[in-house]
């Protein structure tokens, strides 16, 4: 089997396990009202690449751990990612009508329920990480607490929420109707490190912690994942220009049309693609430091860069 086929098979097998666990972890009536349960289920089961949970499980495996022990954290992070997409698509934010190839939740269920479904997913994520794996011994219980903090920091005001706030500020005029000056390259990188990078980093670190990695391994995986996060964002910007909406499952060309700062706008398409490859090279160095260059993680990094959606 070719390396590419082997990775595809791995991704398919893990994605199936993740999809099953996600559905099993969603609250349902009578423990919660069906309106919000249905709304949460709609967005979680609308598809998606499951990149973050896959990275979480692969990181647990890379350090020699049992990936099943990382599954609750993997699902929790996908819940948080899904909430961020639901809220990002709202009229008050990006005002998008298409996501993962389907109408966005507020189009189907209304804005109020979309806000509540996002709130529900965020909150359930932390309940899930606190609850599972069940019957944890003292070692596993300590890992759970550490992971809860890692995920909270990645998703919160210092991470994803903060990055979203910077992003919104870029397209918000002042009282005189003037937009702020466009971000330079370093500010763009810093914004994305929070907005998309922080949760991707948290996914990998959480997996490495649940898998029982050493501090050196967790640190190296965290640094590699920061590079994956930047590569992911650069390619997201490239696909926003080169990709077709049908393939992306969302509206293509929106960022450029909204005048949002993007990598291709700042550096051009070819240089942007080169920058994504350089991220992978730096990730490889970080992983080689702890002899993890041969794990699945680098293959997943390559998939991030070569994806078409
Ligand atoms: C609303 C607090 C809050 C945060 C929103 C991540 C984010 C912050 C908004 C998403 C906006 C966006 C489209 C960013 C580009 C990168 C990105 C996160 C794309 C979507 O992630 P994928 O490609 O999606 O992993 P799938 O559908 O495959 O899960």
């Amino acid at each position: 089997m070719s390396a590419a086929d082997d990775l595809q098979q791995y991704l398919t097998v893990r994605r199936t396990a993740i999809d099953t666990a996600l559905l099993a972890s969603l609250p349902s009536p009578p423990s919660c009202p069906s309106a919000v349960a249905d709304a949460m289920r709609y967005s979680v089961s609308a598809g998606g690449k499951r990149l973050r949970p896959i990275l979480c499980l692969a990181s647990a495996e890379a350090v020699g751990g049992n990936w099943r022990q990382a599954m609750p954290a993997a699902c929790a992070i996908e819940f948080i990612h899904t909430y961020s997409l639901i809220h990002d698509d709202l009229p008050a934010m990006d005002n998008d009508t298409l996501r993962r190839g389907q109408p966005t939740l507020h189009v189907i269920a209304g804005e109020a329920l979309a806000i509540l479904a996002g709130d529900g997913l965020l909150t359930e994520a932390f309940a899930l990480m606190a609850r599972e794996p069940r019957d944890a011994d003292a070692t596993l219980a300590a890992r759970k607490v550490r992971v809860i903090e890692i995920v909270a920091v990645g998703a919160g005001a210092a991470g994803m929420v903060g990055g979203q706030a910077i992003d919104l500020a870029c397209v918000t005029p002042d009282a005189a109707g003037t937009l702020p000056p466009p971000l330079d390259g370093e500010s763009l990188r810093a914004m994305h490190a929070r907005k998309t990078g922080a949760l991707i980093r948290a996914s990998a670190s959480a997996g490495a912690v649940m898998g029982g990695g050493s501090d050196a391994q967790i640190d190296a995986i965290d640094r590699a994942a920061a590079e994956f996060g930047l590569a992911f964002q650069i390619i997201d910007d490239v696909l926003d220009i080169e990709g077709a909406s049908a393939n992306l499952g969302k509206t293509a060309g929106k960022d450029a049309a909204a005048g949002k700062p993007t990598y291709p706008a700042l550096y051009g398409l070819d240089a942007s693609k080169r920058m994504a490859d350089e991220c992978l090279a730096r990730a490889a160095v970080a992983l080689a430091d702890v002899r993890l260059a041969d794990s699945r993680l680098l293959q997943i990094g390559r998939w991030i860069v070569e994806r078409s959606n």
Side-chain angles (χ1 to χ4, degrees):
M1 190 190 299
S2 74
D5 287 346
D6 176 60
L7 177 67
Q8 280 314 317
Q9 194 178 63
Y10 172 85
L11 295 176
T12 304
V13 169
R14 287 291 175 271
R15 216 175 261 136
T16 303
I18 290 163
D19 285 346
T20 304
L22 282 169
L23 288 181
S25 306
L26 277 169
S28 56
S31 83
C32 84
S34 60
V36 73
D38 290 349
M40 290 160 71
R41 188 172 303 266
Y42 173 81
S43 289
V44 168
S45 56
K49 293 178 287 299
R50 310 304 194 203
L51 160 67
R52 294 155 193 79
I54 286 170
L55 197 52
C56 182
L57 302 185
S59 297
E61 286 176 85
V63 298
N66 175 353
W67 61 268
R68 287 184 180 78
Q69 291 189 336
M71 186 61 96
C75 288
I77 290 165
E78 186 68 9
F79 281 177
I80 293 172
H81 168 60
T82 306
Y83 121 74
S84 81
L85 298 180
I86 294 170
H87 282 194
D88 183 66
D89 288 334
L90 286 168
M93 296 215 199
D94 246 19
N95 194 19
D96 243 310
T97 55
L98 190 64
R99 169 71 65 185
R100 292 175 164 173
Q102 316 228 19
T104 45
L105 183 58
H106 67 269
V107 168
I108 297 283
E111 272 181 61
L113 204 51
I115 292 169
L116 289 176
D119 294 342
L121 285 168
L122 175 59
T123 317
E124 286 299 327
F126 287 93
L128 179 57
M129 286 186 288
R131 190 171 61 234
E132 293 181 23
R134 289 174 197 269
D135 302 325
D137 62 13
T139 304
L140 202 53
R143 288 181 197 163
K144 280 165 62 171
V145 173
R146 192 169 166 193
V147 162
I148 287 170
E149 185 185 0
I150 288 171
V151 175
V153 170
M160 181 179 74
V161 167
Q164 179 79 346
I166 299 172
D167 195 24
L168 282 178
C170 292
V171 291
T172 307
D174 64 15
T178 310
L179 283 171
L183 297 182
D184 61 19
E186 179 45 33
S187 306
L188 182 66
R189 193 202 57 74
M191 188 263 284
H192 285 311
R194 292 186 198 276
K195 185 180 152 188
T196 48
L199 197 60
I200 290 176
R201 268 178 68 192
S203 307
S205 302
V209 170
M210 287 312 288
S214 67
D215 285 347
Q217 286 175 323
I218 295 164
D219 178 63
I221 286 176
D222 183 64
R223 283 185 284 124
E227 299 293 347
F228 291 166
L230 182 56
F232 173 89
Q233 188 56 57
I234 295 172
I235 296 302
D236 207 71
D237 285 355
V238 168
L239 290 173
D240 193 53
I241 293 176
E242 290 189 336
S245 295
N247 206 17
L248 293 178
K250 62 177 183 179
T251 317
K254 250 202 116 198
D255 289 351
K260 280 200 178 179
T262 66
Y263 279 88
L266 273 181
Y267 301 103
L269 273 172
D270 287 345
S272 298
K273 290 177 192 172
R274 261 199 315 278
M275 289 167 79
D277 282 335
E278 287 162 10
C279 292
L280 287 195
R282 287 191 296 270
V285 171
L287 292 171
D289 279 351
V290 289
R291 298 204 175 86
L292 290 180
D294 291 335
S295 66
R296 284 275 175 209
L297 295 172
L298 266 189
Q299 296 174 8
I300 292 173
R302 173 77 33 216
W303 165 56
I304 287 173
V305 169
E306 290 174 358
R307 73 202 161 97
S308 60
N309 69 351

